[in-house]
């Protein structure tokens, strides 16, 4: 699945490179905020162990925490349209405020979006696209056995860009189509107050704000078959 996705992205880039007016390649980085499902703490009456706190069933909602993302991008510009693809290394953070101690949740992922954008006016544009996420590792503090998670997650992206040439500011919402299923977990009761719990099913989603810096630009000069390459503001004719 991963190889097919990468092949598709590179095929798109190859097809449109010849016809495009400009191609920008660069780096990007920023912050994200993600949402995950609730944690159901099982009380003593429902088999949650002895001496758990609270003694009854209780839902803990996840407290969102800021994560980071960084990666590379390639953007192919047309008159009012553009195609953009990226490879991003992303860390997602969250937590459950259990009775005795907060249990931190973390996911280390690689995200490969493919975006189709339209320029509205000035530097502003909007875009839609797909997202392929590879979960390399998902952890939750205090669990006695590793939690289960989907290795590959498909999603959709929607966002706004402000392209100032030297820097691109991006606000993006990602919704996961692939659902993370509910699962039972065992937690160290003496440390967290919870013994047996269930992680609720959820569709992973996140909001991210990033800044992209174009490092290389390939511009096709009008009326000639020669391309103009720019590296950090310096132009030369091939």
């Amino acid at each position: 699945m991963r190889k097919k996705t990468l092949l598709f992205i590179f095929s798109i880039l190859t097809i449109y490179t010849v016809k495009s007016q400009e191609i920008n390649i660069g780096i990007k980085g920023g912050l994200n905020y993600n949402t995950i499902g609730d944690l159901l703490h099982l009380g003593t009456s429902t088999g949650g162990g002895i001496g758990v706190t609270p003694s009854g069933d209780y839902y803990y909602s996840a407290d969102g925490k800021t994560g980071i993302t960084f990666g590379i991008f390639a953007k192919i510009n047309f008159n009012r349209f553009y195609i953009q693809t990226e490879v991003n290394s992303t860390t997602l953070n969250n937590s459950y405020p259990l009775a005795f101690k907060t249990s931190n949740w973390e996911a280390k992922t690689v995200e490969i979006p493919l975006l189709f954008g339209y320029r509205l006016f000035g530097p502003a544009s909007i875009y839609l696209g797909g997202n392929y996420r590879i979960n390399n590792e998902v952890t939750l503090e205090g669990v006695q056995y590793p939690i289960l998670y989907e290795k590959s997650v498909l999603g959709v992206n929607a966002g706004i860009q402000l392209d100032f040439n030297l820097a691109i500011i991006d606000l993006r919402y990602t919704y996961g189509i692939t659902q993370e299923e509910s699962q039972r977990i065992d937690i160290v009761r003496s440390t967290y107050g919870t013994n047996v719990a269930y992680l609720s099913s959820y569709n992973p989603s996140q909001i991210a704000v990033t800044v992209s810096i174009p490092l290389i630009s390939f511009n096709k000069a009008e009326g000639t078959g020669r391309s103009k390459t720019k590296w950090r503001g310096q132009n030369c004719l091939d």
Side-chain angles (χ1 to χ4, degrees):
M1 179 67 181
R2 187 183 308 180
K3 291 182 179 179
K4 290 182 179 180
T5 302
L6 292 174
L7 180 61
F8 174 71
I9 292 172
F10 289 129
S11 298
I12 291 291
L13 288 175
T14 302
I15 292 171
Y16 284 97
T17 292
V18 177
K19 300 180 180 180
S20 66
Q21 294 183 347
E22 182 183 34
I23 304 173
N24 293 319
I25 300 174
I27 58 176
K28 61 175 299 183
L31 303 175
N32 63 67
Y33 180 91
N34 78 104
T35 58
I36 58 176
D38 294 338
L39 182 148
L40 172 60
H41 159 99
L42 295 184
T44 55
S45 63
T46 51
I50 300 174
V52 296
T53 304
S55 59
D57 294 356
Y58 188 82
Y59 276 99
Y60 288 98
S61 296
D63 288 341
K65 299 173 65 178
T66 302
I68 59 173
T69 183
F70 62 91
I72 58 175
F73 76 94
K75 185 177 183 180
I76 305 174
N77 295 300
F78 303 91
N79 289 330
R80 298 193 68 88
F81 296 92
Y82 62 86
I83 298 174
Q84 181 169 321
T85 188
E86 305 165 2
V87 179
N88 300 316
S89 176
T90 301
T91 299
L92 304 171
N93 294 313
N94 228 302
S95 64
Y96 294 103
L98 303 183
F100 292 170
K101 183 180 179 181
T102 295
S103 175
N104 292 310
W105 177 96
E106 182 182 74
K108 296 181 179 180
T109 75
V110 174
E111 296 187 339
I112 307 173
L114 181 62
L115 312 171
F116 300 88
Y118 177 77
R119 291 181 180 80
L120 299 174
F121 54 86
S125 67
I126 57 175
Y127 62 81
L128 294 170
N131 191 71
Y132 178 56
R133 186 170 106 186
I134 304 164
N135 287 324
N136 292 323
E137 183 181 16
V138 180
T139 58
L140 179 65
E141 290 179 345
V143 296
Q144 301 188 64
Y145 306 99
I147 62 174
L148 304 175
Y149 57 90
E150 294 288 341
K151 300 294 184 180
S152 301
V153 177
L154 296 178
V156 292
N157 292 314
I160 301 171
Q161 276 192 7
L162 296 176
D163 191 338
F164 298 105
N165 294 322
L166 294 179
I168 304 170
I169 301 173
D170 191 302
L171 174 62
R172 180 178 306 174
Y173 174 72
T174 303
Y175 178 78
I177 299 174
T178 305
Q179 186 178 74
E180 294 284 355
E181 299 298 333
S182 175
Q183 62 180 294
R184 171 178 164 147
I185 57 174
D186 294 319
I187 303 178
V188 180
R189 180 193 59 79
S190 59
T191 303
Y192 294 89
T194 296
N195 183 198
V196 178
Y198 278 90
L199 291 175
S200 302
S201 61
Y202 67 96
N203 292 81
S205 62
Q206 65 171 298
I207 296 175
V209 178
T210 60
V211 176
S212 301
I213 307 296
L215 298 179
I216 307 174
S217 294
F218 300 96
N219 300 290
K220 181 168 290 188
E222 280 190 21
T224 71
R226 304 169 69 186
S227 65
K228 185 170 60 177
T229 303
K230 180 172 66 176
W231 169 258
R232 293 183 180 177
Q234 297 298 319
N235 292 334
C236 63
L237 290 178
D238 293 341

